[in-house]
Amino acid sequence: MSSRPLVVVTDFIAEPLEREREILGDAAEVVALNAVHEDELTSVADRAMALLVYHGISLTERSLSQLKQCRLIVRCGVGIDNVDCEAARRFGIDVANVPDYGTEEVADSTMALTLSLTRGSHLLNVQLQRSPDPWSYQLAAPLQRLRNKVFAIVGLGRIGLATALRAKAHGFDVRFYDPYQPQGIDKAAGITRCDSLEELVQKAFVLSLHCPLTPETELCIDEALLRKMPQGGFLVNTARGGLVDPRLVLQFLENEHLAGAALDVLPVEPPETDDPVIAAWRNPEHPAYSRLIINPHSAFYCEQGLDDMRTKGARNCLRVLRGEAPVNVVNR
């Protein structure tokens, strides 16, 4: 057994851990656990000084209580809903995230999904795959000009702001709701602030979600709120699956209140085999087949972004092993 401190990559990233070992060098032993459940941490709980956690595993008070030497948990991503941060604090463990690794990629993905829906690209592609007759733009009619259409953003953090700037460049009338952002950020960005979700959605042509999943935001996009959107709008979620129930999205596609939707995230990933939303999405006879886009939680991904999350996570662990304070701590 090595006498060096142990850093554990809990999930998602497997061997070879070249990037992590390059950064941590002789300061730590680094292992990949490939865990799918927190119970698998038992084998390293006594020795782990730091954990690099991705989105494939959840850490509750039960597993956190077993981490006798752990000083830092880095959630290698933005969202921290899969780590019980309050429990970690009680056990004296700092929890940090990597808030800036994929800002551009998620914003770009959001716009790609938005344009594919609002310009009819996805719909036309699916319709023509199904049948080449008629070979006509009218398969997507009626489409609306995007300029001055309301692009409504829930959550104006790093990604929300990056998305807002991209939407502005496409001519959208960008509006947002975020009660935690300081006054004046709307003036700085040249966009419009709304004082409530209800006000935000009333004229929304596109509703784009960019807030974290917390007890406050869980299922914040509910039936009553969606009914306040004008008919024929679009919903895009590249944030967290728990913000809106996909079955509700499906219902609003079926009754044509939503013209289309894109979900990069789902409450359960991967989804259950009997998930009714997935069944409808795969059914050529269902409107979701051509009007719903589902991606496998991939909006964050590019090779450079993946390297950023690994590099920045490992460097934060190295800071702690050297006796320095970690950065981006979220549970103080």
Side-chain angles (χ1 to χ4, degrees):
M1 180 182 296
S2 172
S3 60
R4 291 178 295 165
L6 179 64
V7 174
V8 178
V9 182
T10 60
D11 61 298
F12 187 65
I13 301 295
E15 293 283 1
L17 299 175
E18 295 161 335
R19 176 60 72 198
E20 291 77 7
R21 291 188 178 116
E22 176 187 347
I23 292 167
L24 290 162
D26 295 331
E29 176 188 359
V30 187
V31 300
L33 201 57
N34 296 324
V36 295
H37 193 275
E38 64 177 337
D39 289 346
E40 296 173 69
L41 265 66
T42 303
S43 62
V44 298
D46 288 341
R47 292 187 55 219
M49 290 284 288
L51 303 182
L52 294 166
V53 180
Y54 289 82
H55 59 264
I57 187 173
S58 294
L59 301 183
T60 68
E61 183 173 4
R62 179 161 56 88
S63 59
L64 293 171
S65 67
Q66 301 173 21
L67 299 171
K68 303 304 182 184
Q69 298 190 57
C70 189
R71 296 164 57 191
L72 176 67
I73 295 172
V74 180
R75 169 64 181 89
C76 295
V78 180
I80 54 171
D81 49 282
N82 59 328
V83 179
D84 188 334
C85 293
E86 292 183 7
R89 174 51 54 212
R90 290 197 299 273
F91 297 124
I93 304 173
D94 286 332
V95 178
N97 66 350
V98 182
D100 57 344
Y101 78 95
T103 300
E104 297 166 275
E105 286 70 44
V106 179
D108 288 343
S109 295
T110 300
M111 293 310 301
L113 294 169
T114 295
L115 294 173
S116 185
L117 290 171
T118 58
R119 290 298 306 139
S121 304
H122 174 69
L123 174 61
L124 287 165
N125 180 73
V126 172
Q127 297 281 45
L128 291 175
Q129 282 181 316
R130 192 181 300 171
S131 171
D133 185 26
W135 191 271
S136 170
Y137 70 90
Q138 292 180 340
L139 289 170
L143 296 183
Q144 304 299 323
R145 177 171 292 166
L146 300 183
R147 182 164 299 279
N148 297 325
K149 291 289 186 181
V150 172
F151 191 99
I153 295 175
V154 182
L156 200 74
R158 295 172 180 85
I159 295 171
L161 181 56
T163 303
L165 297 177
R166 286 156 171 76
K168 272 186 65 180
H170 282 87
F172 282 105
D173 173 2
V174 180
R175 307 180 187 186
F176 78 97
Y177 171 71
D178 189 332
Y180 296 98
Q181 289 297 337
Q183 296 296 317
I185 194 170
D186 50 331
K187 301 296 185 183
I191 58 181
T192 302
R193 183 175 209 136
C194 295
D195 294 326
S196 67
L197 280 174
E198 289 75 13
E199 179 188 352
L200 179 72
V201 303
Q202 283 178 359
K203 295 183 179 180
F205 181 65
V206 177
L207 180 62
S208 188
L209 311 185
H210 298 284
C211 55
L213 180 61
T214 68
E216 180 184 6
T217 63
E218 185 173 11
L219 298 178
C220 62
I221 310 301
D222 58 17
E223 182 174 359
L225 198 69
L226 286 181
R227 289 197 181 282
K228 289 181 169 63
M229 279 185 68
Q231 186 166 359
F234 301 86
L235 182 143
V236 179
N237 186 7
T238 55
R240 282 293 181 266
L243 301 176
V244 59
D245 188 339
R247 294 171 297 181
L248 181 64
V249 175
L250 184 65
Q251 173 188 326
F252 274 68
L253 287 171
E254 290 172 339
N255 63 26
E256 298 184 353
H257 193 85
L258 285 175
L263 304 176
D264 181 67
V265 287
L266 297 170
V268 177
E269 296 173 351
E272 302 292 343
T273 54
D274 59 350
D275 188 318
V277 177
I278 299 300
W281 171 65
R282 289 174 171 161
N283 179 5
E285 304 305 317
H286 195 281
Y289 189 76
S290 56
R291 297 187 179 274
L292 175 62
I293 301 174
I294 294 180
N295 282 181
H297 199 144
S298 59
F300 74 93
Y301 169 71
C302 73
E303 286 298 306
Q304 294 81 4
L306 188 60
D307 186 69
D308 278 350
M309 68 166 68
R310 296 178 67 175
T311 298
K312 293 181 179 184
R315 285 177 178 165
N316 215 2
C317 291
L318 183 60
R319 290 178 63 89
V320 169
L321 295 177
R322 287 175 170 172
E324 302 170 9
V327 296
N328 299 319
V329 175
V330 296
N331 69 331
R332 283 178 180 157

